[in-house]
Amino acid sequence: MITLLSWATGCASLPANTDRRASTAFNAPDQTPLGQLVHARRAQAGARSDSGFYLLDGVEIALTSRLALIDGAQRSLDLQYYAIHADASTEVILQRLRDAARRGVRVRILLDDFNSVGPDAQVLRLAFEPNIEIRLFNPLPGSRNSLVGRILTSLHDVPRIQKRMHNKVFIADNAWGITGGRNLGDRYFGAGEKQNFVDLDVLAAGRIVRDMSASFDRYWNNELAYPVQTLLDKEDLEKLRELAVPGAQSVKSGGVIPAAAAAPAPGAVLPGVTAAEVRQADRPSMDLRKVELRWAPSTLLVDKPGKIGPGDDEVDAGDTVIDGLMSALRLAQKDVLIISPYFVPGTQMMAVYEELRKRGVRIRVLTNSLASNDAPAAHAGYERYRKDLLAMGVELYEMRSDPESAKQLVGSGGDQRPKSDAGKEPDSRASLHSKAVVIDNRLSIIGSMNLDLRSQLKNSEVALVIRGSPVAQELTRQIEAMLAGGAYRVEQRQGKLHWAAPKGASFGDEDKEPGASAKLRLIVRLVAPFAPDEML
């Protein structure tokens, strides 16, 4: 036991990060077709504002909009993500990125290192393609065989494990960009077999994209951004793949497949995808000429890399995305609408909500139920504040987890899963992953942040702040549709919690955590005393 503990907590170290070269965003977007399209769309709309926006609430448009940016790019593609999973949806994106690089587009991908293990490490194969660079942010030392193993070998530095780059941006030619809640993978595009996330992004065009690019560059050139080749090589990736052969794991399903089937399909980036999934890369992309852009004043809230690690831009107290969001909330006069998967307010946020309620501001919050939450420990943190929030008059709604909710809420237009999965009966549970705030039906904040202490204190985040009623009204309609179709309203009745179904719903009220098993409720009770708010 002593030997095992010594191994698990041994001080594995990272190599020197001396091979990274500074680079910056393409600085002449107006010279590209994508940049010229922005000007044409703005002139056509007669807009005064220099930035346009389009909400991406459905899984199909979330994927095809990204494909459109890749297809339209001529000079640069910059991607920054917390997680990119090795599965069929990602294969579509990776193939398009590889094709773009082969036609001369510079591709930079910045990925938080935490999830780049096991099958998902195969995404890093793209780093060995010409004209593509991948850097891993705040990497952990040790084996990439499994996430558990890497955590065990890093237990001597728990603060480093806890601080993650949670930003999500997707930028083409410094002219068009996407940010919001989605990572890249089947669960984020409606094709998950056990779970599907209800998520939200926003497509942006114009001046605001240059702010997004400036933020990307700051992270890309930070000393915590390690080129993939500094940490592993092609042979390392091949060994990771061979660990699953024979009886290899399919990167799509997680099931056992024959060794012969583990060989990459012709033309694939990822091993384990099928030839049919390779052909999905030919699917059409969104037509950016027809997207109904809303032109509006905007600004970008973004954390500095110094929030995570050392550097020349250390974060001052009160200088985070969540702090900026709280400042905006304090300006509310009538109504605040919040959608956050993990809602653990902490003392400071609770004080803001109490201040607003004393001024008569209506506050509605949509978050996960215990059954729909993919992080039960986070629900334990939320539980601590639930009755106090209700007592001060905050309206709480919790999303249902049943497959029908997943089918209805992943986006308008019916079944929008990638075509390889169309026709299957939905059997995966729904889980809320959207992150947005609407203030007085005039100000919209959409980004990667949760309304919890982890986003405030641990993770780096990014968010778009968009002024104007058109975007706010559209976002409000989308959230209220979720409240009306797939969420319980939480109430206190005679000192006990009650979950009320919407009027006319096909499901009824509940007097205990709806959809949650006794085992899951027990786990939360056991975890709660040992889970401080800032760790959730």
Side-chain angles (χ1 to χ4, degrees):
M1 180 66 181
I2 294 175
T3 302
L4 177 61
L5 184 61
S6 175
W7 168 81
T9 57
C11 295
S13 60
L14 291 166
N17 189 11
T18 56
D19 293 333
R20 75 184 194 281
R21 292 177 296 176
S23 61
T24 56
F26 174 62
N27 62 5
D30 294 346
Q31 297 177 8
T32 67
L34 284 179
Q36 292 162 7
L37 177 60
V38 174
H39 286 290
R41 294 297 310 275
R42 184 185 177 196
Q44 181 183 29
R48 293 183 179 181
S49 299
D50 54 12
S51 301
F53 304 95
Y54 180 73
L55 297 180
L56 304 173
D57 64 318
V59 294
E60 183 71 8
I61 58 174
L63 181 56
T64 59
S65 59
R66 286 166 169 85
L67 299 183
L69 297 195
I70 299 173
D71 292 348
Q74 286 197 348
R75 300 301 296 270
S76 66
L77 286 161
D78 293 332
L79 283 67
Q80 181 180 13
Y81 279 93
Y82 169 66
I84 301 179
H85 299 291
D87 53 32
S89 299
T90 299
E91 175 68 29
V92 174
I93 294 173
L94 297 186
Q95 284 188 54
R96 294 287 182 98
L97 288 171
R98 182 185 60 190
D99 293 344
R102 289 177 177 177
R103 68 173 186 263
V105 178
R106 182 193 67 179
V107 179
R108 299 185 296 173
I109 301 174
L110 182 60
L111 179 61
D112 184 87
D113 183 66
F114 191 73
N115 291 289
S116 299
V117 297
D120 288 338
Q122 298 303 318
V123 170
L124 305 180
R125 287 176 175 269
L126 209 62
F128 300 94
E129 290 280 340
N131 225 20
I132 298 177
E133 291 183 78
I134 300 181
R135 294 184 181 180
L136 295 173
F137 201 83
N138 193 23
L140 302 177
S143 170
R144 293 185 181 272
N145 293 349
S146 72
L147 182 58
V148 172
R150 297 189 75 209
I151 292 175
L152 286 174
T153 56
S154 302
L155 286 178
H156 64 282
D157 194 359
V158 172
R160 183 184 184 93
I161 299 175
Q162 285 286 313
K163 293 189 174 184
R164 309 315 315 170
M165 184 192 75
H166 201 236
N167 312 43
K168 301 168 182 71
V169 298
F170 197 120
I171 304 168
D173 284 349
N174 204 3
W176 294 72
I178 296 170
T179 191
R182 280 184 181 87
N183 295 297
L184 303 184
D186 281 349
R187 290 179 297 169
Y188 299 92
F189 296 110
E193 296 190 350
K194 295 182 179 180
Q195 179 185 48
N196 276 304
F197 287 119
V198 176
D199 221 325
L200 175 70
D201 294 315
V202 59
L203 174 68
R207 186 269 314 161
I208 194 66
V209 179
R210 293 193 285 276
D211 294 342
M212 295 165 65
S213 290
S215 169
F216 177 93
D217 286 347
R218 177 175 280 181
Y219 279 82
W220 179 260
N221 294 313
N222 188 269
E223 63 188 272
L224 286 180
Y226 282 65
V228 163
Q229 288 81 353
T230 301
L231 301 170
L232 73 166
D233 54 30
K234 284 184 178 180
E235 289 71 24
D236 294 323
L237 289 172
E238 192 61 24
K239 290 176 182 176
L240 285 171
R241 187 180 75 87
E242 290 173 354
L243 286 174
V245 179
Q249 278 197 330
S250 163
V251 296
K252 179 173 184 287
S253 67
V256 176
I257 60 175
V269 175
L270 299 170
V273 298
T274 67
E277 290 163 350
V278 170
R279 289 193 293 272
Q280 285 298 311
D282 295 330
R283 66 190 303 165
S285 58
M286 172 188 286
D287 189 345
L288 296 176
R289 298 169 300 176
K290 298 180 180 179
V291 171
E292 189 176 351
L293 294 172
R294 306 287 190 181
W295 298 88
S298 60
T299 190
L300 188 74
L301 296 177
V302 60
D303 286 325
K304 299 175 182 178
K307 184 179 180 183
I308 296 179
D312 57 1
D313 54 355
E314 294 183 3
V315 178
D316 298 325
D319 188 24
T320 71
V321 168
I322 296 298
D323 293 322
L325 195 156
M326 289 295 109
S327 295
L329 283 177
R330 287 190 175 96
L331 300 176
Q333 298 297 314
K334 297 180 179 179
D335 184 86
V336 169
L337 184 55
I338 295 170
I339 179 168
S340 179
Y342 317 118
F343 189 67
V344 187
T347 304
Q348 181 182 350
M349 291 188 206
M350 286 293 284
V352 173
Y353 302 143
E354 186 173 14
E355 172 192 332
L356 293 176
R357 288 298 303 136
K358 286 180 176 179
R359 290 198 281 109
V361 177
R362 184 187 187 190
I363 303 175
R364 290 176 290 170
V365 178
L366 173 62
T367 190
N368 273 307
S369 63
L370 174 56
S372 68
N373 202 321
D374 67 322
H379 190 85
Y382 160 62
E383 267 192 336
R384 295 170 190 155
Y385 297 94
R386 191 160 48 185
K387 287 188 176 181
D388 288 341
L389 287 162
L390 292 172
M392 71 173 65
V394 174
E395 300 171 37
L396 293 180
Y397 295 83
E398 296 180 7
M399 202 183 79
R400 297 186 76 214
S401 66
D402 68 294
E404 192 61 28
S405 291
K407 183 178 180 180
Q408 292 177 355
L409 298 178
V410 291
S412 57
D415 189 351
Q416 296 193 36
R417 290 169 291 166
K419 304 307 179 188
S420 60
D421 291 314
K424 292 182 180 179
E425 289 299 318
D427 57 3
S428 59
R429 67 186 177 96
S431 184
L432 186 68
H433 203 258
S434 307
K435 305 111 173 7
V437 175
V438 185
I439 300 173
D440 289 340
N441 219 18
R442 295 176 58 86
L443 190 71
S444 306
I445 304 173
I446 304 166
S448 66
M449 71 290 159
N450 297 297
L451 271 293
D452 63 6
L453 295 187
R454 169 167 288 281
S455 284
Q456 184 175 21
L457 303 175
K458 303 290 185 181
N459 292 342
S460 66
E461 307 287 359
V462 62
L464 277 175
V465 182
I466 306 168
R467 288 197 354 237
S469 298
V471 173
Q473 290 172 357
E474 183 178 353
L475 183 53
T476 297
R477 284 195 298 270
Q478 292 177 6
I479 298 175
E480 288 181 340
M482 294 186 193
L483 302 183
Y488 294 93
R489 179 166 177 175
V490 186
E491 302 172 348
Q492 284 203 79
R493 296 184 179 180
Q494 297 179 340
K496 295 183 179 180
L497 292 178
H498 178 81
W499 286 261
K503 292 182 179 179
S506 59
F507 52 94
D509 292 7
E510 298 282 352
D511 289 318
K512 59 184 178 181
E513 304 275 4
S517 65
K519 179 181 177 181
L520 184 56
R521 295 196 300 270
L522 176 61
I523 290 173
V524 170
R525 284 198 294 270
L526 293 175
V527 167
F530 307 101
D533 289 352
E534 62 273 13
M535 300 284 282
L536 303 176

